[in-house]
Amino acid sequence: MANHLSRWIKKKLLGTDNNLITLNDPYMIIEDLLKDTEVTGILDAGASNGRISRKLLKKFPKANIYAFEPNLFYKQTLETFAQEDSRFHPQYLALSDYEGSAELLITESPGNTSFFSPGNRLKEIDPDGSIIKQKQNVDIVTIDQWAKRNNNVTIQLMKFDIQGAELQALQGAIKVLQKFTYTVYTEVVFNSLYKGGALFSEIDLFFRKQGFILYDLYKPKYNQSGLIMWANVLYVDPGKIRI
């Protein structure tokens, strides 16, 4: 129904149903793609205040969500959520392709916090919010090793929003991705926002090597000159989902 409605709106407003920008709700699409799958495990990387986790728990009532958020700014909010819903499991850890620790650069706007320094384009888009106000040493794990230590927990759905560190986290999740994961919803950057942060082309190549394909692109954001900066994308494993 959602697809038919969005096609009708696009034809009426835009004169076509083949534009780049989809009007579909990505979470409804994910729910539909996984309707024949028993979703028991969801990984939310960059959980912030748990807003997306709440959405996903409503759509997948049998799932447990493991919410990774190293920024302690959100800890009290996540603790409260965990007390309200036993399916929500905050993990105050960062994700990468190695285990150890690293310095998290906490910015004035919590949403810009990253392991990577803000680049010039991010400073132009959000000059105040990209100012580094604090540096915090945080523990880092890989998804594969974390899953192994937690009774080989199965993760059918992953969501990433970790400000340029998505590729490293994915590189530490190859076993889980190949064995269990059906879909990955992640933020991607097209033109650099962080010094050293991965770009869409690198992430797309990684997924292709793992057998995943790009399903759609959502909510693209542009700078003042119209240059595309970032968006959210959905990848699926066609070997696990018939599309």
Side-chain angles (χ1 to χ4, degrees):
M1 180 63 182
N3 285 337
H4 292 304
L5 178 60
S6 68
R7 289 194 190 105
W8 182 86
I9 292 172
K10 283 187 279 190
K11 283 183 177 180
K12 290 293 183 182
L13 297 182
L14 305 172
T16 179
D17 61 354
N18 294 314
N19 60 300
L20 175 64
I21 303 173
T22 179
L23 298 180
N24 295 329
D25 178 345
Y27 303 104
M28 290 179 64
I29 297 300
I30 292 170
E31 181 183 26
D32 186 59
L33 286 170
L34 297 177
K35 64 180 183 297
D36 297 322
T37 303
E38 185 177 14
V39 178
T40 59
I42 299 172
L43 188 145
D44 183 353
S48 65
N49 60 10
R51 179 178 62 88
I52 303 304
S53 286
R54 288 181 184 273
K55 282 188 177 185
L56 293 172
L57 282 173
K58 288 180 180 178
K59 295 193 176 297
F60 301 104
K62 294 182 180 179
N64 284 280
I65 286 191
Y66 305 94
F68 286 79
E69 180 49 68
N71 189 350
L72 297 182
F73 173 84
Y74 297 107
K75 184 173 183 179
Q76 186 55 57
T77 301
L78 297 180
E79 287 293 311
T80 300
F81 184 11
Q83 292 170 9
E84 296 170 354
D85 194 327
S86 61
R87 298 173 298 158
F88 181 75
H89 310 280
Q91 314 286 309
Y92 303 110
L93 301 165
L95 296 170
S96 192
D97 55 358
Y98 70 96
E99 301 216 332
S101 63
E103 198 171 62
L104 189 66
L105 306 178
I106 300 174
T107 51
E108 286 291 344
S109 173
N112 292 330
T113 294
S114 175
F115 286 121
F116 301 103
S117 298
N120 290 334
R121 294 197 186 278
L122 180 58
K123 292 176 182 178
E124 290 171 1
I125 294 168
D126 189 4
D128 294 329
S130 60
I131 295 172
I132 297 171
K133 67 174 184 178
Q134 182 184 349
K135 297 180 181 181
Q136 174 186 322
N137 204 52
V138 298
D139 292 328
I140 293 176
V141 298
T142 69
I143 292 172
D144 282 341
Q145 289 300 315
W146 169 85
K148 184 178 180 180
R149 286 193 293 268
N150 286 273
N151 300 312
N152 293 311
V153 60
T154 59
I155 302 293
Q156 291 87 15
L157 165 62
M158 295 186 187
K159 167 260 175 184
F160 290 88
D161 185 0
I162 50 178
Q163 307 309 304
E166 288 82 5
L167 180 59
Q168 288 90 336
L170 287 163
Q171 288 170 333
I174 290 175
K175 291 180 181 178
V176 172
L177 283 168
Q178 293 182 341
K179 189 171 184 180
F180 300 117
T181 305
Y182 290 69
T183 61
V184 180
Y185 184 62
T186 181
E187 183 176 77
V188 294
V189 174
F190 294 96
N191 289 290
S192 182
L193 292 171
Y194 294 91
K195 298 175 183 177
L199 298 177
F200 166 73
S201 56
E202 300 170 88
I203 291 175
D204 185 67
L205 181 60
F206 168 85
F207 275 116
R208 302 286 174 176
K209 288 181 178 179
Q210 308 312 316
F212 283 70
I213 61 174
L214 179 63
Y215 187 84
D216 210 344
L217 180 149
Y218 306 88
K219 303 176 182 177
K221 304 295 183 184
Y222 303 83
N223 71 2
Q224 290 184 344
S225 67
L227 179 68
I228 189 168
M229 298 307 304
W230 74 89
N232 294 316
V233 294
L234 179 62
Y235 282 91
V236 301
D237 184 343
K240 301 187 185 89
I241 297 176
R242 187 174 180 179
I243 53 174

